[in-house]
Amino acid sequence: MVNMRLVRMGGYFAIIVGLMQLVGNGLHPPIPADTVEALGVIAGLSYWIPIHVVISMSYFMFIPFVLGAAAAFKDQGSPFIIVAKYLVIVGAGLGAAQILTHLTYFKYLADQYALADPALQQNIIFSYESFWPYNVALEIAHLVAIFVAVSLFGMELLRDDVLPRWLAWLGIAAGIAATVGILAGKIIFNNDIVFGVSLPPLLIWILAVGVNLLRLKPPASASAGD
């Protein structure tokens, strides 16, 4: 039996996630490849901390979203759904950990660099360049996990008529596009703009899923209490 309370929770949190990611990523500036320029961007952006709080919190919102969305499907034992749920949970955890380094470690380095003497600045540059590749690896890992999960949800929607079929194809396409975008942007071009332009279909999918989950009618066999 479909738990409609859980499904509606998924719908509300889908909209929350979509809006938080839209605001956070929309306001997040591209990080230059040059270390000194990157530190300048981080130190000089007045709303650096608030947008990273928003993005960090959005990852915790992913979990009730995915649990609620998964509850809407008829086949709860589908391997697509099971794998997708675990990918989102792992990806959300890694994502929160990665974004929190921007909020703390890299913000601290950038603020110290602006005030430091030349000798200390070199040490800060070394610290930034030592840890930044690890940060990028975490970013790629958690985003690919979430993007693959979106495509898996889309594949399951092709087998299940619980939501409109166009959401299935949009989910598959959005997950693939975002995966290609993050890999190309971070590994090939080293440019955040490439990744940024691949995100809108994914955000549209999340918001559309949220709206459709909230509009979903209980199965005819469900009790009125559900």
Side-chain angles (χ1 to χ4, degrees), residues 25 28 31 52 55-56 59 91-106 131-143 182 186 195:
N25 286 294
H28 196 297
I31 303 299
H52 284 85
I55 297 173
S56 298
Y59 284 108
L94 292 176
Q98 183 258 328
I99 288 297
L100 285 172
T101 65
H102 287 220
L103 184 62
T104 55
Y105 182 73
F106 291 112
F131 194 66
W132 187 255
Y134 174 69
N135 170 78
V136 172
L138 272 181
E139 182 177 14
I140 293 172
H142 89 262
L143 287 175
I182 187 63
K186 295 295 182 180
F195 168 53

PDB file of all heavy atoms in Angstrom, residues 25 28 31 52 55-56 59 91-106 131-143 182 186 195:
ATOM      1  N   ASN A  25      23.356  27.426  -6.246  1.00  0.00           N
ATOM      2  CA  ASN A  25      24.229  27.285  -7.420  1.00  0.00           C
ATOM      3  C   ASN A  25      24.120  28.483  -8.352  1.00  0.00           C
ATOM      4  O   ASN A  25      25.084  28.826  -9.031  1.00  0.00           O
ATOM      5  CB  ASN A  25      23.887  25.993  -8.170  1.00  0.00           C
ATOM      6  CG  ASN A  25      24.374  24.754  -7.434  1.00  0.00           C
ATOM      7  OD1 ASN A  25      25.562  24.534  -7.286  1.00  0.00           O
ATOM      8  ND2 ASN A  25      23.443  23.956  -6.946  1.00  0.00           N
ATOM      9  N   HIS A  28      26.388  31.051  -6.770  1.00  0.00           N
ATOM     10  CA  HIS A  28      27.782  30.637  -6.569  1.00  0.00           C
ATOM     11  C   HIS A  28      28.614  31.054  -7.782  1.00  0.00           C
ATOM     12  O   HIS A  28      28.326  30.653  -8.904  1.00  0.00           O
ATOM     13  CB  HIS A  28      27.864  29.126  -6.380  1.00  0.00           C
ATOM     14  CG  HIS A  28      29.163  28.653  -5.804  1.00  0.00           C
ATOM     15  ND1 HIS A  28      30.370  28.809  -6.459  1.00  0.00           N
ATOM     16  CD2 HIS A  28      29.458  28.038  -4.637  1.00  0.00           C
ATOM     17  CE1 HIS A  28      31.335  28.299  -5.720  1.00  0.00           C
ATOM     18  NE2 HIS A  28      30.804  27.834  -4.598  1.00  0.00           N
ATOM     19  N   ILE A  31      34.767  29.347  -9.819  1.00  0.00           N
ATOM     20  CA  ILE A  31      36.043  29.456  -9.120  1.00  0.00           C
ATOM     21  C   ILE A  31      37.167  29.427 -10.144  1.00  0.00           C
ATOM     22  O   ILE A  31      37.306  28.446 -10.885  1.00  0.00           O
ATOM     23  CB  ILE A  31      36.223  28.311  -8.105  1.00  0.00           C
ATOM     24  CG1 ILE A  31      35.074  28.302  -7.103  1.00  0.00           C
ATOM     25  CG2 ILE A  31      37.555  28.441  -7.381  1.00  0.00           C
ATOM     26  CD1 ILE A  31      34.955  29.566  -6.280  1.00  0.00           C
ATOM     27  N   HIS A  52      26.666  29.059   0.908  1.00  0.00           N
ATOM     28  CA  HIS A  52      27.173  27.718   1.208  1.00  0.00           C
ATOM     29  C   HIS A  52      26.404  27.057   2.346  1.00  0.00           C
ATOM     30  O   HIS A  52      26.338  25.824   2.412  1.00  0.00           O
ATOM     31  CB  HIS A  52      28.679  27.765   1.483  1.00  0.00           C
ATOM     32  CG  HIS A  52      29.490  27.909   0.233  1.00  0.00           C
ATOM     33  ND1 HIS A  52      29.752  29.136  -0.333  1.00  0.00           N
ATOM     34  CD2 HIS A  52      30.033  26.981  -0.583  1.00  0.00           C
ATOM     35  CE1 HIS A  52      30.440  28.953  -1.437  1.00  0.00           C
ATOM     36  NE2 HIS A  52      30.621  27.657  -1.623  1.00  0.00           N
ATOM     37  N   ILE A  55      23.428  25.697   0.296  1.00  0.00           N
ATOM     38  CA  ILE A  55      23.779  24.500  -0.471  1.00  0.00           C
ATOM     39  C   ILE A  55      24.012  23.315   0.452  1.00  0.00           C
ATOM     40  O   ILE A  55      23.568  22.191   0.178  1.00  0.00           O
ATOM     41  CB  ILE A  55      25.021  24.758  -1.347  1.00  0.00           C
ATOM     42  CG1 ILE A  55      24.735  25.856  -2.376  1.00  0.00           C
ATOM     43  CG2 ILE A  55      25.426  23.473  -2.081  1.00  0.00           C
ATOM     44  CD1 ILE A  55      25.960  26.299  -3.161  1.00  0.00           C
ATOM     45  N   SER A  56      24.718  23.547   1.563  1.00  0.00           N
ATOM     46  CA  SER A  56      24.982  22.462   2.516  1.00  0.00           C
ATOM     47  C   SER A  56      23.685  21.872   3.044  1.00  0.00           C
ATOM     48  O   SER A  56      23.509  20.646   3.095  1.00  0.00           O
ATOM     49  CB  SER A  56      25.836  22.973   3.682  1.00  0.00           C
ATOM     50  OG  SER A  56      27.093  23.422   3.247  1.00  0.00           O
ATOM     51  N   TYR A  59      21.562  19.416   0.837  1.00  0.00           N
ATOM     52  CA  TYR A  59      21.915  17.996   0.737  1.00  0.00           C
ATOM     53  C   TYR A  59      21.177  17.162   1.780  1.00  0.00           C
ATOM     54  O   TYR A  59      20.842  15.997   1.525  1.00  0.00           O
ATOM     55  CB  TYR A  59      23.427  17.815   0.843  1.00  0.00           C
ATOM     56  CG  TYR A  59      24.140  18.213  -0.427  1.00  0.00           C
ATOM     57  CD1 TYR A  59      24.905  19.372  -0.488  1.00  0.00           C
ATOM     58  CD2 TYR A  59      24.007  17.445  -1.578  1.00  0.00           C
ATOM     59  CE1 TYR A  59      25.527  19.746  -1.664  1.00  0.00           C
ATOM     60  CE2 TYR A  59      24.624  17.811  -2.760  1.00  0.00           C
ATOM     61  CZ  TYR A  59      25.386  18.967  -2.797  1.00  0.00           C
ATOM     62  OH  TYR A  59      25.998  19.337  -3.969  1.00  0.00           O
ATOM     63  N   GLY A  91      25.556  10.085  -1.809  1.00  0.00           N
ATOM     64  CA  GLY A  91      25.926  11.323  -2.494  1.00  0.00           C
ATOM     65  C   GLY A  91      25.619  12.554  -1.658  1.00  0.00           C
ATOM     66  O   GLY A  91      26.406  13.501  -1.629  1.00  0.00           O
ATOM     67  N   ALA A  92      24.491  12.543  -0.963  1.00  0.00           N
ATOM     68  CA  ALA A  92      24.125  13.692  -0.120  1.00  0.00           C
ATOM     69  C   ALA A  92      25.114  13.846   1.028  1.00  0.00           C
ATOM     70  O   ALA A  92      25.501  14.961   1.387  1.00  0.00           O
ATOM     71  CB  ALA A  92      22.712  13.521   0.412  1.00  0.00           C
ATOM     72  N   GLY A  93      25.533  12.725   1.620  1.00  0.00           N
ATOM     73  CA  GLY A  93      26.508  12.797   2.710  1.00  0.00           C
ATOM     74  C   GLY A  93      27.847  13.344   2.252  1.00  0.00           C
ATOM     75  O   GLY A  93      28.428  14.224   2.899  1.00  0.00           O
ATOM     76  N   LEU A  94      28.319  12.828   1.119  1.00  0.00           N
ATOM     77  CA  LEU A  94      29.586  13.326   0.564  1.00  0.00           C
ATOM     78  C   LEU A  94      29.458  14.785   0.155  1.00  0.00           C
ATOM     79  O   LEU A  94      30.391  15.576   0.322  1.00  0.00           O
ATOM     80  CB  LEU A  94      30.009  12.475  -0.641  1.00  0.00           C
ATOM     81  CG  LEU A  94      30.431  11.033  -0.355  1.00  0.00           C
ATOM     82  CD1 LEU A  94      30.719  10.300  -1.662  1.00  0.00           C
ATOM     83  CD2 LEU A  94      31.671  11.004   0.543  1.00  0.00           C
ATOM     84  N   GLY A  95      28.296  15.150  -0.396  1.00  0.00           N
ATOM     85  CA  GLY A  95      28.093  16.518  -0.840  1.00  0.00           C
ATOM     86  C   GLY A  95      28.114  17.506   0.304  1.00  0.00           C
ATOM     87  O   GLY A  95      28.718  18.582   0.207  1.00  0.00           O
ATOM     88  N   ALA A  96      27.460  17.150   1.408  1.00  0.00           N
ATOM     89  CA  ALA A  96      27.470  18.034   2.574  1.00  0.00           C
ATOM     90  C   ALA A  96      28.889  18.201   3.098  1.00  0.00           C
ATOM     91  O   ALA A  96      29.314  19.314   3.445  1.00  0.00           O
ATOM     92  CB  ALA A  96      26.558  17.467   3.661  1.00  0.00           C
ATOM     93  N   ALA A  97      29.646  17.109   3.150  1.00  0.00           N
ATOM     94  CA  ALA A  97      31.025  17.176   3.634  1.00  0.00           C
ATOM     95  C   ALA A  97      31.886  18.048   2.720  1.00  0.00           C
ATOM     96  O   ALA A  97      32.702  18.854   3.192  1.00  0.00           O
ATOM     97  CB  ALA A  97      31.617  15.772   3.725  1.00  0.00           C
ATOM     98  N   GLN A  98      31.676  17.914   1.419  1.00  0.00           N
ATOM     99  CA  GLN A  98      32.482  18.690   0.465  1.00  0.00           C
ATOM    100  C   GLN A  98      32.158  20.179   0.523  1.00  0.00           C
ATOM    101  O   GLN A  98      33.059  21.023   0.570  1.00  0.00           O
ATOM    102  CB  GLN A  98      32.251  18.147  -0.950  1.00  0.00           C
ATOM    103  CG  GLN A  98      33.097  18.830  -2.021  1.00  0.00           C
ATOM    104  CD  GLN A  98      32.314  19.846  -2.839  1.00  0.00           C
ATOM    105  OE1 GLN A  98      31.122  19.674  -3.067  1.00  0.00           O
ATOM    106  NE2 GLN A  98      32.988  20.879  -3.289  1.00  0.00           N
ATOM    107  N   ILE A  99      30.892  20.512   0.534  1.00  0.00           N
ATOM    108  CA  ILE A  99      30.512  21.922   0.545  1.00  0.00           C
ATOM    109  C   ILE A  99      30.910  22.598   1.855  1.00  0.00           C
ATOM    110  O   ILE A  99      31.247  23.787   1.881  1.00  0.00           O
ATOM    111  CB  ILE A  99      28.997  22.071   0.288  1.00  0.00           C
ATOM    112  CG1 ILE A  99      28.683  21.744  -1.168  1.00  0.00           C
ATOM    113  CG2 ILE A  99      28.519  23.485   0.597  1.00  0.00           C
ATOM    114  CD1 ILE A  99      29.325  22.687  -2.182  1.00  0.00           C
ATOM    115  N   LEU A 100      30.903  21.849   2.937  1.00  0.00           N
ATOM    116  CA  LEU A 100      31.305  22.437   4.223  1.00  0.00           C
ATOM    117  C   LEU A 100      32.771  22.853   4.223  1.00  0.00           C
ATOM    118  O   LEU A 100      33.158  23.746   4.987  1.00  0.00           O
ATOM    119  CB  LEU A 100      31.031  21.448   5.363  1.00  0.00           C
ATOM    120  CG  LEU A 100      29.554  21.315   5.760  1.00  0.00           C
ATOM    121  CD1 LEU A 100      29.365  20.167   6.746  1.00  0.00           C
ATOM    122  CD2 LEU A 100      29.033  22.614   6.357  1.00  0.00           C
ATOM    123  N   THR A 101      33.599  22.250   3.370  1.00  0.00           N
ATOM    124  CA  THR A 101      34.996  22.717   3.277  1.00  0.00           C
ATOM    125  C   THR A 101      35.054  24.107   2.653  1.00  0.00           C
ATOM    126  O   THR A 101      35.947  24.895   2.981  1.00  0.00           O
ATOM    127  CB  THR A 101      35.865  21.746   2.453  1.00  0.00           C
ATOM    128  OG1 THR A 101      35.415  21.709   1.096  1.00  0.00           O
ATOM    129  CG2 THR A 101      35.848  20.350   3.038  1.00  0.00           C
ATOM    130  N   HIS A 102      34.124  24.425   1.776  1.00  0.00           N
ATOM    131  CA  HIS A 102      34.067  25.776   1.201  1.00  0.00           C
ATOM    132  C   HIS A 102      33.637  26.788   2.261  1.00  0.00           C
ATOM    133  O   HIS A 102      34.089  27.932   2.261  1.00  0.00           O
ATOM    134  CB  HIS A 102      33.071  25.809   0.041  1.00  0.00           C
ATOM    135  CG  HIS A 102      33.563  25.119  -1.184  1.00  0.00           C
ATOM    136  ND1 HIS A 102      33.342  25.614  -2.455  1.00  0.00           N
ATOM    137  CD2 HIS A 102      34.272  23.980  -1.358  1.00  0.00           C
ATOM    138  CE1 HIS A 102      33.882  24.809  -3.351  1.00  0.00           C
ATOM    139  NE2 HIS A 102      34.448  23.800  -2.697  1.00  0.00           N
ATOM    140  N   LEU A 103      32.750  26.342   3.105  1.00  0.00           N
ATOM    141  CA  LEU A 103      32.210  27.210   4.145  1.00  0.00           C
ATOM    142  C   LEU A 103      33.236  27.471   5.252  1.00  0.00           C
ATOM    143  O   LEU A 103      33.210  28.524   5.892  1.00  0.00           O
ATOM    144  CB  LEU A 103      30.968  26.549   4.743  1.00  0.00           C
ATOM    145  CG  LEU A 103      30.164  27.295   5.798  1.00  0.00           C
ATOM    146  CD1 LEU A 103      29.596  28.583   5.233  1.00  0.00           C
ATOM    147  CD2 LEU A 103      29.051  26.404   6.327  1.00  0.00           C
ATOM    148  N   THR A 104      34.151  26.546   5.452  1.00  0.00           N
ATOM    149  CA  THR A 104      35.089  26.639   6.577  1.00  0.00           C
ATOM    150  C   THR A 104      36.537  26.778   6.101  1.00  0.00           C
ATOM    151  O   THR A 104      37.116  27.866   6.149  1.00  0.00           O
ATOM    152  CB  THR A 104      34.939  25.404   7.480  1.00  0.00           C
ATOM    153  OG1 THR A 104      35.116  24.207   6.691  1.00  0.00           O
ATOM    154  CG2 THR A 104      33.565  25.372   8.120  1.00  0.00           C
ATOM    155  N   TYR A 105      37.108  25.691   5.647  1.00  0.00           N
ATOM    156  CA  TYR A 105      38.543  25.635   5.349  1.00  0.00           C
ATOM    157  C   TYR A 105      38.972  26.641   4.281  1.00  0.00           C
ATOM    158  O   TYR A 105      39.880  27.447   4.488  1.00  0.00           O
ATOM    159  CB  TYR A 105      38.914  24.213   4.927  1.00  0.00           C
ATOM    160  CG  TYR A 105      40.383  24.013   4.632  1.00  0.00           C
ATOM    161  CD1 TYR A 105      41.324  23.977   5.665  1.00  0.00           C
ATOM    162  CD2 TYR A 105      40.833  23.851   3.329  1.00  0.00           C
ATOM    163  CE1 TYR A 105      42.675  23.785   5.403  1.00  0.00           C
ATOM    164  CE2 TYR A 105      42.178  23.658   3.058  1.00  0.00           C
ATOM    165  CZ  TYR A 105      43.085  23.620   4.096  1.00  0.00           C
ATOM    166  OH  TYR A 105      44.420  23.441   3.820  1.00  0.00           O
ATOM    167  N   PHE A 106      38.318  26.601   3.129  1.00  0.00           N
ATOM    168  CA  PHE A 106      38.726  27.483   2.033  1.00  0.00           C
ATOM    169  C   PHE A 106      38.381  28.943   2.323  1.00  0.00           C
ATOM    170  O   PHE A 106      39.111  29.847   1.903  1.00  0.00           O
ATOM    171  CB  PHE A 106      38.105  27.017   0.713  1.00  0.00           C
ATOM    172  CG  PHE A 106      38.669  25.711   0.224  1.00  0.00           C
ATOM    173  CD1 PHE A 106      37.900  24.573   0.198  1.00  0.00           C
ATOM    174  CD2 PHE A 106      39.991  25.619  -0.179  1.00  0.00           C
ATOM    175  CE1 PHE A 106      38.420  23.365  -0.229  1.00  0.00           C
ATOM    176  CE2 PHE A 106      40.527  24.422  -0.611  1.00  0.00           C
ATOM    177  CZ  PHE A 106      39.739  23.285  -0.633  1.00  0.00           C
ATOM    178  N   PHE A 131      44.896  20.752  -0.984  1.00  0.00           N
ATOM    179  CA  PHE A 131      43.597  20.202  -0.625  1.00  0.00           C
ATOM    180  C   PHE A 131      42.553  20.347  -1.728  1.00  0.00           C
ATOM    181  O   PHE A 131      41.588  19.583  -1.769  1.00  0.00           O
ATOM    182  CB  PHE A 131      43.078  20.863   0.660  1.00  0.00           C
ATOM    183  CG  PHE A 131      41.922  20.151   1.288  1.00  0.00           C
ATOM    184  CD1 PHE A 131      42.080  18.888   1.826  1.00  0.00           C
ATOM    185  CD2 PHE A 131      40.663  20.735   1.338  1.00  0.00           C
ATOM    186  CE1 PHE A 131      41.001  18.216   2.405  1.00  0.00           C
ATOM    187  CE2 PHE A 131      39.587  20.077   1.922  1.00  0.00           C
ATOM    188  CZ  PHE A 131      39.765  18.810   2.456  1.00  0.00           C
ATOM    189  N   TRP A 132      42.728  21.301  -2.618  1.00  0.00           N
ATOM    190  CA  TRP A 132      41.711  21.555  -3.644  1.00  0.00           C
ATOM    191  C   TRP A 132      41.434  20.345  -4.535  1.00  0.00           C
ATOM    192  O   TRP A 132      40.255  20.042  -4.817  1.00  0.00           O
ATOM    193  CB  TRP A 132      42.093  22.762  -4.494  1.00  0.00           C
ATOM    194  CG  TRP A 132      41.007  23.163  -5.455  1.00  0.00           C
ATOM    195  CD1 TRP A 132      40.972  22.962  -6.791  1.00  0.00           C
ATOM    196  CD2 TRP A 132      39.778  23.821  -5.119  1.00  0.00           C
ATOM    197  NE1 TRP A 132      39.814  23.454  -7.325  1.00  0.00           N
ATOM    198  CE2 TRP A 132      39.063  23.993  -6.323  1.00  0.00           C
ATOM    199  CE3 TRP A 132      39.232  24.286  -3.921  1.00  0.00           C
ATOM    200  CZ2 TRP A 132      37.813  24.593  -6.361  1.00  0.00           C
ATOM    201  CZ3 TRP A 132      37.983  24.888  -3.961  1.00  0.00           C
ATOM    202  CH2 TRP A 132      37.294  25.039  -5.172  1.00  0.00           C
ATOM    203  N   PRO A 133      42.446  19.593  -5.001  1.00  0.00           N
ATOM    204  CA  PRO A 133      42.144  18.411  -5.825  1.00  0.00           C
ATOM    205  C   PRO A 133      41.282  17.390  -5.088  1.00  0.00           C
ATOM    206  O   PRO A 133      40.409  16.746  -5.692  1.00  0.00           O
ATOM    207  CB  PRO A 133      43.529  17.833  -6.147  1.00  0.00           C
ATOM    208  CG  PRO A 133      44.457  18.999  -6.052  1.00  0.00           C
ATOM    209  CD  PRO A 133      43.910  19.831  -4.930  1.00  0.00           C
ATOM    210  N   TYR A 134      41.510  17.220  -3.790  1.00  0.00           N
ATOM    211  CA  TYR A 134      40.681  16.308  -2.997  1.00  0.00           C
ATOM    212  C   TYR A 134      39.246  16.826  -2.936  1.00  0.00           C
ATOM    213  O   TYR A 134      38.285  16.052  -3.034  1.00  0.00           O
ATOM    214  CB  TYR A 134      41.263  16.184  -1.585  1.00  0.00           C
ATOM    215  CG  TYR A 134      40.425  15.379  -0.633  1.00  0.00           C
ATOM    216  CD1 TYR A 134      40.284  14.003  -0.788  1.00  0.00           C
ATOM    217  CD2 TYR A 134      39.762  15.998   0.422  1.00  0.00           C
ATOM    218  CE1 TYR A 134      39.511  13.257   0.087  1.00  0.00           C
ATOM    219  CE2 TYR A 134      38.984  15.259   1.311  1.00  0.00           C
ATOM    220  CZ  TYR A 134      38.867  13.889   1.129  1.00  0.00           C
ATOM    221  OH  TYR A 134      38.092  13.167   2.003  1.00  0.00           O
ATOM    222  N   ASN A 135      39.085  18.129  -2.800  1.00  0.00           N
ATOM    223  CA  ASN A 135      37.760  18.745  -2.791  1.00  0.00           C
ATOM    224  C   ASN A 135      37.040  18.505  -4.120  1.00  0.00           C
ATOM    225  O   ASN A 135      35.849  18.176  -4.135  1.00  0.00           O
ATOM    226  CB  ASN A 135      37.915  20.249  -2.532  1.00  0.00           C
ATOM    227  CG  ASN A 135      36.627  21.011  -2.737  1.00  0.00           C
ATOM    228  OD1 ASN A 135      35.737  21.007  -1.906  1.00  0.00           O
ATOM    229  ND2 ASN A 135      36.510  21.671  -3.884  1.00  0.00           N
ATOM    230  N   VAL A 136      37.773  18.651  -5.219  1.00  0.00           N
ATOM    231  CA  VAL A 136      37.178  18.414  -6.539  1.00  0.00           C
ATOM    232  C   VAL A 136      36.776  16.952  -6.694  1.00  0.00           C
ATOM    233  O   VAL A 136      35.709  16.642  -7.249  1.00  0.00           O
ATOM    234  CB  VAL A 136      38.156  18.835  -7.656  1.00  0.00           C
ATOM    235  CG1 VAL A 136      37.627  18.410  -9.031  1.00  0.00           C
ATOM    236  CG2 VAL A 136      38.378  20.346  -7.621  1.00  0.00           C
ATOM    237  N   ALA A 137      37.619  16.043  -6.198  1.00  0.00           N
ATOM    238  CA  ALA A 137      37.288  14.617  -6.277  1.00  0.00           C
ATOM    239  C   ALA A 137      36.006  14.301  -5.507  1.00  0.00           C
ATOM    240  O   ALA A 137      35.151  13.541  -5.989  1.00  0.00           O
ATOM    241  CB  ALA A 137      38.455  13.789  -5.743  1.00  0.00           C
ATOM    242  N   LEU A 138      35.864  14.888  -4.322  1.00  0.00           N
ATOM    243  CA  LEU A 138      34.632  14.709  -3.545  1.00  0.00           C
ATOM    244  C   LEU A 138      33.427  15.279  -4.290  1.00  0.00           C
ATOM    245  O   LEU A 138      32.332  14.689  -4.285  1.00  0.00           O
ATOM    246  CB  LEU A 138      34.760  15.398  -2.191  1.00  0.00           C
ATOM    247  CG  LEU A 138      35.366  14.624  -1.026  1.00  0.00           C
ATOM    248  CD1 LEU A 138      35.371  15.499   0.220  1.00  0.00           C
ATOM    249  CD2 LEU A 138      34.607  13.333  -0.764  1.00  0.00           C
ATOM    250  N   GLU A 139      33.625  16.423  -4.911  1.00  0.00           N
ATOM    251  CA  GLU A 139      32.533  17.051  -5.658  1.00  0.00           C
ATOM    252  C   GLU A 139      32.076  16.166  -6.807  1.00  0.00           C
ATOM    253  O   GLU A 139      30.868  15.936  -6.993  1.00  0.00           O
ATOM    254  CB  GLU A 139      32.982  18.420  -6.191  1.00  0.00           C
ATOM    255  CG  GLU A 139      31.896  19.166  -6.936  1.00  0.00           C
ATOM    256  CD  GLU A 139      32.338  20.542  -7.398  1.00  0.00           C
ATOM    257  OE1 GLU A 139      33.552  20.828  -7.374  1.00  0.00           O
ATOM    258  OE2 GLU A 139      31.463  21.333  -7.798  1.00  0.00           O
ATOM    259  N   ILE A 140      33.031  15.656  -7.573  1.00  0.00           N
ATOM    260  CA  ILE A 140      32.687  14.787  -8.696  1.00  0.00           C
ATOM    261  C   ILE A 140      31.978  13.530  -8.197  1.00  0.00           C
ATOM    262  O   ILE A 140      30.946  13.117  -8.742  1.00  0.00           O
ATOM    263  CB  ILE A 140      33.950  14.420  -9.502  1.00  0.00           C
ATOM    264  CG1 ILE A 140      34.515  15.668 -10.190  1.00  0.00           C
ATOM    265  CG2 ILE A 140      33.629  13.341 -10.534  1.00  0.00           C
ATOM    266  CD1 ILE A 140      35.865  15.435 -10.854  1.00  0.00           C
ATOM    267  N   ALA A 141      32.523  12.924  -7.139  1.00  0.00           N
ATOM    268  CA  ALA A 141      31.959  11.665  -6.634  1.00  0.00           C
ATOM    269  C   ALA A 141      30.515  11.831  -6.176  1.00  0.00           C
ATOM    270  O   ALA A 141      29.632  11.035  -6.546  1.00  0.00           O
ATOM    271  CB  ALA A 141      32.824  11.140  -5.490  1.00  0.00           C
ATOM    272  N   HIS A 142      30.245  12.877  -5.390  1.00  0.00           N
ATOM    273  CA  HIS A 142      28.888  12.986  -4.847  1.00  0.00           C
ATOM    274  C   HIS A 142      27.883  13.410  -5.919  1.00  0.00           C
ATOM    275  O   HIS A 142      26.731  12.946  -5.915  1.00  0.00           O
ATOM    276  CB  HIS A 142      28.858  13.931  -3.634  1.00  0.00           C
ATOM    277  CG  HIS A 142      28.619  15.369  -3.932  1.00  0.00           C
ATOM    278  ND1 HIS A 142      29.634  16.294  -4.021  1.00  0.00           N
ATOM    279  CD2 HIS A 142      27.464  16.067  -4.154  1.00  0.00           C
ATOM    280  CE1 HIS A 142      29.118  17.481  -4.259  1.00  0.00           C
ATOM    281  NE2 HIS A 142      27.811  17.376  -4.355  1.00  0.00           N
ATOM    282  N   LEU A 143      28.308  14.246  -6.846  1.00  0.00           N
ATOM    283  CA  LEU A 143      27.376  14.688  -7.883  1.00  0.00           C
ATOM    284  C   LEU A 143      27.081  13.571  -8.877  1.00  0.00           C
ATOM    285  O   LEU A 143      25.923  13.395  -9.291  1.00  0.00           O
ATOM    286  CB  LEU A 143      27.941  15.913  -8.602  1.00  0.00           C
ATOM    287  CG  LEU A 143      27.913  17.212  -7.782  1.00  0.00           C
ATOM    288  CD1 LEU A 143      28.609  18.340  -8.526  1.00  0.00           C
ATOM    289  CD2 LEU A 143      26.484  17.611  -7.424  1.00  0.00           C
ATOM    290  N   ILE A 182      29.533  17.628 -15.348  1.00  0.00           N
ATOM    291  CA  ILE A 182      30.477  17.697 -14.230  1.00  0.00           C
ATOM    292  C   ILE A 182      31.819  17.073 -14.612  1.00  0.00           C
ATOM    293  O   ILE A 182      32.882  17.592 -14.252  1.00  0.00           O
ATOM    294  CB  ILE A 182      29.893  17.025 -12.958  1.00  0.00           C
ATOM    295  CG1 ILE A 182      30.808  17.243 -11.757  1.00  0.00           C
ATOM    296  CG2 ILE A 182      29.655  15.547 -13.160  1.00  0.00           C
ATOM    297  CD1 ILE A 182      30.994  18.668 -11.324  1.00  0.00           C
ATOM    298  N   LYS A 186      35.012  19.610 -14.880  1.00  0.00           N
ATOM    299  CA  LYS A 186      36.053  19.483 -13.861  1.00  0.00           C
ATOM    300  C   LYS A 186      37.320  18.813 -14.368  1.00  0.00           C
ATOM    301  O   LYS A 186      38.429  19.147 -13.929  1.00  0.00           O
ATOM    302  CB  LYS A 186      35.515  18.688 -12.660  1.00  0.00           C
ATOM    303  CG  LYS A 186      34.380  19.374 -11.916  1.00  0.00           C
ATOM    304  CD  LYS A 186      34.856  20.665 -11.259  1.00  0.00           C
ATOM    305  CE  LYS A 186      33.733  21.323 -10.474  1.00  0.00           C
ATOM    306  NZ  LYS A 186      34.185  22.587  -9.823  1.00  0.00           N
ATOM    307  N   PHE A 195      29.871  23.029 -16.318  1.00  0.00           N
ATOM    308  CA  PHE A 195      28.988  22.265 -15.427  1.00  0.00           C
ATOM    309  C   PHE A 195      27.686  23.016 -15.175  1.00  0.00           C
ATOM    310  O   PHE A 195      26.602  22.432 -15.184  1.00  0.00           O
ATOM    311  CB  PHE A 195      29.711  21.982 -14.112  1.00  0.00           C
ATOM    312  CG  PHE A 195      28.829  21.466 -13.020  1.00  0.00           C
ATOM    313  CD1 PHE A 195      28.011  20.365 -13.224  1.00  0.00           C
ATOM    314  CD2 PHE A 195      28.812  22.091 -11.781  1.00  0.00           C
ATOM    315  CE1 PHE A 195      27.182  19.892 -12.216  1.00  0.00           C
ATOM    316  CE2 PHE A 195      27.996  21.618 -10.766  1.00  0.00           C
ATOM    317  CZ  PHE A 195      27.185  20.523 -10.988  1.00  0.00           C
TER     318      PHE A 195
END
